[in-house]
Amino acid sequence: MKSKGEKGRAKPSAGAEKPAKAERGGAGVASWAGERAQVEQLLRLRRPLTDVQRAAFRSRFSDVQCDELGGHAKSGPVFREGLEWAARIQKTLGEPHEGLRYSEERFTWLLECLLELAKSRASYKSAQNPAAAARRLGEQARAASLELREDLTSVLAELAGGVEAEVEALAKAQGAADEARDLAASLRALAGLAEDWLRRGSDVDRALVASAGLTQAYAQAAWRAADELERAAADGARAAADGAAGDGAAQAAADGAAADATQAAGDGAAGDPGQRDATAVVRAEGRLLREMAVAMRSFSEARRKNRGIRKLVPGSATRDVLKPRAARSSEPEAQAPQPEETPEAQPAPDQEAPSHAALNGQATS
């Protein structure tokens, strides 16, 4: 049972009315859009993977293995926990981390797995309630595109400085953003301008690009956002036309029911606990869990050599998958806190190794 304090935080005010069912469904979609934006922001700050690297990481776990693992957890809580781990990993990689054999490229792949889960989840929600979801996703695609456009424009403006020709080129690329097609065209023009800067070979240009923080990931994000914006606009127009052809009252009732089902299935907050997400979501979720297991094992092994590295500990959303009950029951019972280690102290054996090895497809004795 929630405490009074928790109840108070759950509502905007004491007299606030209970939100309508459709509004709750919309809030669920909006929260996923926000989480997806966080992942995209992290990816824009990193060097993109090559197709070969991406194929190599994907080949480590088959679709069947991912389906098998993803079917045992809820996508919403898993995503949020994965996002928390991503923040921890990024912080660790940004500091001295001797003994950690977890590469920058593998972390980028983990972020791509997070993004794939967000995309799959958005598609699942859209399928449950086409008209309302298409409208909301269109609005969110526009908001995200405008934010990216502003961010990329700021970076390119720093590069342009006071050089008249560069300023004019940026103004032309920025264009208008009134309609979806205009905004998409603006994003593509800015992406082209960014790639032009990245192709420049002089030492001066390379120094400016590095100073401004422009990377290929910015251009890729802009190309992708333009495509998704146009797709969302087309889906919205098609869904609106389909909705207008149907009975208004029946459509509203269907929208409310779909919103309830989406909220219950997606975030694991209510509904049948045995309900599973759509197949695509399960697969993306399982792949993310597999990659989380890889990171967990790497951090656990590194801590044996470097006590300054913190383990990645599964939370309530992933504990039963990443750290099965059988593995937990085999661990020794908690002991009283020990004094701080001395330089002569030896690291304790990794009690989690069997479960980590199993998740990574390795045989255990």
Side-chain angles (χ1 to χ4, degrees):
M1 180 179 293
K2 292 183 178 180
S3 66
K4 292 182 179 180
E6 290 174 328
K7 291 181 179 178
R9 288 192 296 273
K11 298 181 180 179
S13 66
E17 295 182 359
K18 184 177 181 180
K21 293 178 179 178
E23 292 174 344
R24 293 202 305 272
V29 176
S31 66
W32 271 87
E35 289 169 339
R36 170 178 171 174
Q38 292 181 61
V39 181
E40 290 180 328
Q41 176 63 29
L42 289 171
L43 281 169
R44 285 202 294 272
L45 300 175
R46 304 189 63 77
R47 184 185 298 277
L49 295 176
T50 65
D51 291 339
V52 173
Q53 289 172 326
R54 190 173 292 110
F57 294 140
R58 182 177 291 276
S59 71
R60 295 305 83 199
F61 302 109
S62 68
D63 289 344
V64 173
Q65 288 175 311
C66 295
D67 292 346
E68 184 181 76
L69 204 61
H72 293 85
K74 287 291 183 179
S75 58
V78 168
F79 182 95
R80 287 187 285 276
E81 192 167 308
L83 202 56
E84 292 173 0
W85 280 32
R88 173 84 60 78
I89 294 171
Q90 179 175 253
K91 181 179 179 181
T92 302
L93 292 178
E95 300 172 345
H97 49 275
E98 183 180 356
L100 179 61
R101 295 182 299 173
Y102 188 74
S103 69
E104 296 277 354
E105 293 76 16
R106 193 87 195 209
F107 177 46
T108 301
W109 172 241
L110 175 68
L111 291 175
E112 289 195 3
C113 290
L114 271 167
L115 183 59
E116 182 61 30
L117 179 55
K119 289 181 176 180
S120 299
R121 186 59 190 151
S123 297
Y124 172 76
K125 285 178 177 287
S126 179
Q128 299 304 301
N129 182 14
R135 182 176 63 254
R136 287 192 295 267
L137 291 173
E139 294 169 353
Q140 291 151 11
R142 177 175 176 79
S145 295
L146 285 170
E147 182 179 355
L148 175 59
R149 177 174 178 263
E150 181 180 357
D151 194 14
L152 185 51
T153 298
S154 177
V155 173
L156 292 171
E158 182 179 341
L159 287 170
V163 181
E164 185 176 351
E166 301 288 5
V167 173
E168 290 178 357
L170 175 57
K172 182 179 179 180
Q174 191 172 7
D178 297 332
E179 302 292 335
R181 62 176 178 273
D182 297 327
L183 180 53
S186 174
L187 287 168
R188 292 189 177 107
L190 290 170
L193 186 57
E195 290 182 336
D196 175 67
W197 272 102
L198 291 166
R199 283 193 296 266
R200 298 183 187 184
S202 74
D203 293 340
V204 171
D205 289 331
R206 285 199 295 267
L208 288 171
V209 167
S211 175
L214 179 64
T215 66
Q216 184 64 37
Y218 269 104
Q220 290 183 350
W223 290 117
R224 184 170 59 246
D227 292 342
E228 293 180 355
L229 183 66
E230 289 182 336
R231 187 182 307 113
D235 290 345
R238 185 163 48 251
D242 292 343
D247 179 72
Q251 184 68 31
D255 287 350
D260 278 351
T262 298
Q263 181 72 9
D267 294 336
D272 182 0
Q275 187 172 3
R276 289 176 52 166
D277 291 332
T279 302
V281 180
V282 169
R283 180 164 298 172
E285 177 189 318
R287 194 170 298 282
L288 172 60
L289 285 166
R290 291 284 180 184
E291 283 304 311
M292 289 174 70
V294 170
M296 182 175 70
R297 182 175 183 226
S298 293
F299 274 66
S300 179
E301 290 179 346
R303 183 168 172 79
R304 297 170 58 191
K305 305 172 185 177
N306 182 353
R307 304 298 288 182
I309 294 177
R310 296 173 57 190
K311 289 183 179 181
L312 296 172
V313 181
S316 58
T318 63
R319 187 178 298 117
D320 288 339
V321 180
L322 297 180
K323 197 174 180 183
R325 191 174 302 276
R328 295 202 301 271
S329 63
S330 66
E331 295 178 359
E333 295 191 10
Q335 300 177 355
Q338 299 296 317
E340 291 292 329
E341 289 185 293
T342 64
E344 294 76 22
Q346 298 297 318
D350 185 6
Q351 301 293 340
E352 298 171 353
S355 60
H356 292 171
L359 286 164
N360 283 276
Q362 299 176 4
T364 57
S365 56

